[in-house]
Amino acid sequence: MVEPSFSQLLVLLLNLLFLFTTLASSSKTRFKYSLEKPHHPLDPLTTPEIKRVQTILSGHDPGFGSGSTIIHAMALDEPDKQRVVRWKKGDLLPPRRAEVLAMSNGESHVLTVDLNSGRVVSDLVNPTFGYPILTMKDIIAVSQVPYQSVEFNRSIEARGIPFSGLICITPFAGWYGPDEEGRRVIKIQCFSKQDTVNFYMRPIEGLYLTVDMDKLEIIKIIDNGPVPVPKSTGTEYRYAFLNETVHMDRVNPMSMEQPDGPSFQVEDGYLVKWANWKFHIKPDQRAGMIISQATVRDSKTGEARSVLYKGFASELFVPYMDPGEGWYSKAYMDAGEFGLGPSSMPLVPLNDCPRNAYYIDGFFASPEGIPILQPNMICLFERYAGDTSWRHSEILLPGVDIRESRAKVTLVARMACSVGNYDYIFDWEFQMDGVIRVTVAASGMLMVKGTAYENVEDLGEKEDDSGPLISENVIGVVHDHFISFHLDMDIDGSANNSFVKVHLEKQRLPPGKSRRKSYLKVKKYVAKTEKDAQIKMSLYDPYEFHLVNPNRLSRLGNPAGYKLVPGGNAASLLDHDDPPQIRGAFTNNQIWVTRYNRSEQWAGGLLMYQSRGEDTLQVWSDRDRSIENKDIVLWYTLGFHHVPCQEDFPVMPTIASSFELKPVNFFESNPVLGISPFFEKDLPVC
């Protein structure tokens, strides 16, 4: 059989990666924080802790030592929330535990490992229908399976595609009925990388495979006959290799300089202090980046007040709108199926992050339990883009010259992950006025479909159902992006928050009362149960959404709170009984509020791969628990539809959407009063 050199290189690179990261983790300079003992109850597992977990597991089950049991995910099993809240620096750390997702003999295991006692204290087998997050080892092994098939090799030869220019990737399988149950299956689609690194633009359409991941056997091959493979012309995106004339004037490099150095501090590797903010930041295999225990200092009293106990991207759902045989299963759950941490490639200095950035590395576990380094996974930097935080000029006071302006400087925590063809950039931006702004930007390359058509005129009256023609023989398939955020808001404490729907209701005035005929009136409704807080947003039925502490009142009697300020958004239009939507039911609403439960973190369920939607945010919320004056969690699903166009070829410009968490009656007055202006004398002379 033909064995492509590309697959051999992948295996070699993976082995080298394991070797490099193991050696790198022994360094006592750059990676010192990974080797020290944890300093905070929420610090991620250190490299010695990862190794200790592997040793404990080997004693629990010989399969972990023999290789028959595979680790799919390993992370800190966080201590009880109230214990973390009570903890102060200098106190003993709570017992350290790890949560491990593993596969053994076709069964899913959710294990809790106590590092203090050296024991596995819990081993749940198949707690829900579904499998753990995939490993890179899974994906590389499966990508080699097609070459073992005579039928596949003949199909490639019949298309005239050289094997040296072939690359096969693994679109996830989803779940579509009983015939896919009882075994881990995955789909395979192949591309031509001949004369280009942008193989995504050269799909080998009409040839699709389904593979049993554990047996590494082909279950099904579908060959609908050859479709022209799009040409490589115009697909190059590497700057050093571009040979086409581009009519664009050069923009000179620019950089923000800080003559006195950065204003933020990072203590013990993960505790960030800046301006009036303090928070814990943690790399995570599934969520990528987790922000915890965010507090803001009250400028009037100096009190550090809690805002957010824990915030992260819980799931990322990307369904494609092509019902054809090779495409119907393309409805990705990127966090639960692959993980945003392993796909977080090193950030590119001066382009991903500015010169003044500080970098944080991630450490995860390989399938064998070996610590793996994700270098420069997160960056922190102060941003000033010439924006204004607040200003006012006054001309109505004779003899008084008032021109007050404050520059808007913010602190950004950024992570970028490359999940196959798409790149996602996640920003958590902290502002001095108490606002937290969260932005998700999508870039990279489209997932495209090959077609026989080269011009829209070739279609005649027929129009392709899946999307528009964006280049010769290339269809940009319509798709959606939905990112569900878990926001455990703790406004001045965790045990007594409420969700308030602030409704703007139109009032009609009776004749003769005013020259106006209508106006808007604010009415507030406190959500009593979880179903009260299932929100579908509408421009013509406007609400504000407040999280308040009814027991913490301002001097005027208003409850302290934060409000969710949605940005541009989209709703899933799929039917609720459609298999992808059953699994992605957390997109049925844009806003949810649930009763706090430490086991309810992943909007699509803990075991997402091939899940049936039995353990989702929709299921939890439908329990309709009481949420008034309780410890509650806010969930927000940010989304956008994507109808591709020619400008998305061969690479896709970045598109972004965001939301804000904004104080509402939290402070006694506007905290920007404490921001000092910039003066020319403060800056270096260049």
Side-chain angles (χ1 to χ4, degrees):
M1 297 299 171
V2 180
E3 183 69 19
S5 58
F6 182 79
S7 297
Q8 294 172 337
L9 283 173
L10 276 177
V11 175
L12 176 62
L13 285 171
L14 184 65
N15 291 331
L16 288 174
L17 176 65
F18 287 169
L19 176 62
F20 166 75
T21 53
T22 304
L23 292 173
S25 67
S26 65
S27 168
K28 293 185 179 179
T29 54
R30 175 174 171 77
F31 310 120
K32 58 184 178 180
Y33 292 120
S34 68
L35 293 177
E36 295 177 357
K37 64 181 181 180
H39 298 272
H40 187 282
L42 298 178
D43 280 357
L45 296 174
T46 64
T47 51
E49 287 179 324
I50 292 173
K51 294 173 183 176
R52 177 160 168 73
V53 170
Q54 196 275 341
T55 300
I56 296 169
L57 290 174
S58 297
H60 170 72
D61 181 351
F64 283 98
S66 67
S68 61
T69 300
I70 300 298
I71 294 172
H72 286 249
M74 182 191 299
L76 176 72
D77 183 39
E78 295 182 358
D80 178 75
K81 179 178 177 179
Q82 292 307 315
R83 191 165 187 176
V84 174
V85 170
R86 290 193 301 267
W87 183 87
K88 304 295 181 187
K89 189 168 184 176
D91 294 348
L92 291 175
L93 288 176
R96 299 278 285 179
R97 291 186 169 190
E99 180 184 74
V100 178
L101 304 185
M103 286 290 299
S104 180
N105 298 319
E107 294 185 313
S108 302
H109 291 253
V110 180
L111 303 106
T112 304
V113 180
D114 189 299
L115 282 89
N116 294 63
S117 66
R119 295 185 305 111
V120 173
V121 296
S122 175
D123 184 355
L124 302 178
V125 181
N126 300 328
T128 61
F129 187 92
Y131 300 106
I133 193 170
L134 296 186
T135 68
M136 184 59 73
K137 194 171 184 178
D138 281 330
I139 292 171
I140 291 176
V142 168
S143 68
Q144 299 178 74
V145 171
Y147 307 105
Q148 303 169 12
S149 165
V150 173
E151 183 180 353
F152 172 81
N153 290 333
R154 286 175 178 169
S155 295
I156 294 298
E157 290 170 352
R159 287 167 165 80
I161 299 169
F163 284 92
S164 61
L166 192 64
I167 179 172
C168 296
I169 65 171
T170 51
F172 305 132
W175 176 81
Y176 293 90
D179 61 321
E180 295 180 351
E181 294 180 1
R183 57 184 173 182
R184 290 196 307 155
V185 299
I186 199 164
K187 307 290 185 177
I188 292 182
Q189 183 177 3
C190 301
F191 300 78
S192 172
K193 65 182 180 70
Q194 190 173 18
D195 301 324
T196 184
V197 295
N198 193 355
F199 59 87
Y200 293 107
M201 297 301 109
R202 305 198 68 200
I204 299 171
E205 206 62 57
L207 180 62
Y208 316 109
L209 299 88
T210 304
V211 171
D212 184 311
M213 269 194 286
D214 296 314
K215 295 181 179 179
L216 295 179
E217 295 177 352
I218 295 175
I219 299 171
K220 181 168 62 173
I221 295 180
I222 295 174
D223 189 348
N224 293 331
V227 175
V229 177
K231 295 181 174 61
S232 63
T233 306
T235 61
E236 180 61 71
Y237 56 82
R238 295 170 296 173
Y239 184 79
F241 291 85
L242 293 176
N243 53 19
E244 296 182 8
T245 301
V246 179
H247 300 284
M248 183 178 294
D249 292 338
R250 173 179 168 82
V251 175
N252 294 328
M254 60 183 70
S255 176
M256 192 188 89
E257 304 300 329
Q258 294 182 286
D260 297 326
S263 305
F264 64 89
Q265 298 176 341
V266 181
E267 295 182 358
D268 300 326
Y270 305 106
L271 188 65
V272 182
K273 296 179 179 180
W274 176 79
N276 49 351
W277 284 102
K278 182 170 74 171
F279 59 90
H280 186 274
I281 187 168
K282 176 169 64 178
D284 183 77
Q285 181 172 356
R286 186 160 180 170
M289 176 170 59
I290 295 177
I291 304 293
S292 298
Q293 288 198 291
T295 64
V296 62
R297 188 171 62 250
D298 193 306
S299 59
K300 295 287 187 183
T301 65
E303 176 190 2
R305 300 172 62 185
S306 64
V307 175
L308 174 77
Y309 179 74
K310 189 175 182 181
F312 58 92
S314 178
E315 193 52 79
L316 205 164
F317 178 36
V318 187
Y320 282 79
M321 303 303 160
D322 188 319
E325 180 63 39
W327 279 81
Y328 73 86
S329 63
K330 292 184 180 180
Y332 303 108
M333 299 285 186
D334 287 328
E337 292 179 325
F338 185 63
L340 303 183
S343 59
S344 296
M345 307 300 288
L347 294 160
V348 181
L350 302 184
N351 293 277
D352 282 330
C353 307
R355 181 184 296 193
N356 60 327
Y358 174 96
Y359 293 88
I360 297 174
D361 303 323
F363 281 86
F364 307 123
S366 76
E368 294 78 21
I370 300 171
I372 294 181
L373 166 71
Q374 295 288 114
N376 289 4
M377 178 179 162
I378 296 170
C379 71
L380 289 165
F381 60 92
E382 288 169 285
R383 173 156 61 195
Y384 172 55
D387 295 330
T388 303
S389 180
W390 169 84
R391 78 173 316 279
H392 180 65
S393 294
E394 186 57 71
I395 61 173
L396 297 180
L397 294 175
V400 180
D401 182 19
I402 296 179
R403 288 185 298 153
E404 293 288 322
S405 182
R406 303 291 185 270
K408 185 174 184 177
V409 180
T410 63
L411 179 69
V412 178
R414 172 172 294 169
M415 176 201 71
C417 55
S418 301
V419 190
N421 57 299
Y422 258 108
D423 289 52
Y424 295 96
I425 303 101
F426 292 84
D427 281 1
W428 284 76
E429 184 175 11
F430 295 83
Q431 302 180 182
M432 284 186 275
D433 57 2
V435 171
I436 303 174
R437 183 181 180 88
V438 182
T439 301
V440 181
S443 189
M445 272 78 74
L446 293 174
M447 179 68 73
V448 301
K449 181 180 180 179
T451 179
Y453 302 111
E454 295 188 355
N455 193 287
V456 292
E457 293 182 356
D458 298 338
L459 292 166
E461 295 183 359
K462 180 184 177 183
E463 185 175 344
D464 193 282
D465 290 337
S466 60
L469 195 69
I470 61 170
S471 187
E472 288 81 0
N473 306 116
V474 179
I475 288 173
V477 179
V478 175
H479 57 283
D480 292 336
H481 300 263
F482 298 108
I483 304 94
S484 179
F485 282 88
H486 171 110
L487 303 165
D488 184 357
M489 304 291 292
D490 281 2
I491 309 301
D492 283 318
S494 60
N496 46 13
N497 284 189
S498 294
F499 180 63
V500 182
K501 298 181 287 185
V502 181
H503 196 198
L504 296 173
E505 299 182 0
K506 184 173 71 173
Q507 304 289 316
R508 184 73 178 176
L509 287 161
K513 188 169 184 179
S514 171
R515 294 193 178 190
R516 289 281 297 273
K517 296 183 180 297
S518 61
Y519 70 105
L520 296 181
K521 183 175 182 178
V522 174
K523 289 191 176 181
K524 297 181 179 181
Y525 302 88
V526 178
K528 304 294 184 183
T529 67
E530 290 172 314
K531 286 188 177 180
D532 290 341
Q534 295 180 0
I535 305 295
K536 290 181 173 65
M537 294 190 299
S538 170
L539 287 175
Y540 292 96
D541 189 21
Y543 282 85
E544 285 192 355
F545 308 101
H546 295 191
L547 266 293
V548 304
N549 186 333
N551 305 290
R552 176 73 180 251
L553 304 181
S554 72
R555 72 180 192 280
L556 302 178
N558 291 309
Y562 261 70
K563 66 179 177 180
L564 172 70
V565 183
N569 211 326
S572 177
L573 304 179
L574 298 178
D575 289 337
H576 286 195
D577 63 349
D578 196 350
Q581 191 63 26
I582 293 172
R583 302 175 73 231
F586 52 86
T587 65
N588 290 341
N589 299 297
Q590 288 76 54
I591 297 173
W592 314 69
V593 177
T594 59
R595 184 82 168 263
Y596 173 79
N597 184 325
R598 71 191 304 266
S599 69
E600 297 174 0
Q601 297 197 72
W602 309 109
L606 177 63
L607 301 177
M608 166 55 74
Y609 197 81
Q610 287 179 249
S611 66
R612 297 189 297 201
E614 298 170 332
D615 180 32
T616 66
L617 176 56
Q618 178 78 65
V619 173
W620 310 332
S621 177
D622 283 346
R623 293 171 184 159
D624 208 22
R625 294 162 290 191
S626 170
I627 58 172
E628 184 180 9
N629 210 10
K630 305 291 185 183
D631 188 0
I632 54 179
V633 177
L634 171 67
W635 303 78
Y636 176 65
T637 300
L638 174 155
F640 40 89
H641 304 299
H642 190 175
V643 179
C645 60
Q646 290 178 204
E647 286 79 5
D648 293 331
F649 179 91
V651 298
M652 199 195 83
T654 298
I655 55 175
S657 191
S658 63
F659 66 92
E660 291 183 347
L661 300 171
K662 187 173 183 179
V664 54
N665 302 317
F666 187 84
F667 299 107
E668 295 292 351
S669 62
N670 194 332
V672 301
L673 289 173
I675 299 176
S676 59
F678 292 158
F679 297 100
E680 197 69 35
K681 64 181 178 61
D682 299 325
L683 302 176
V685 178
C686 297

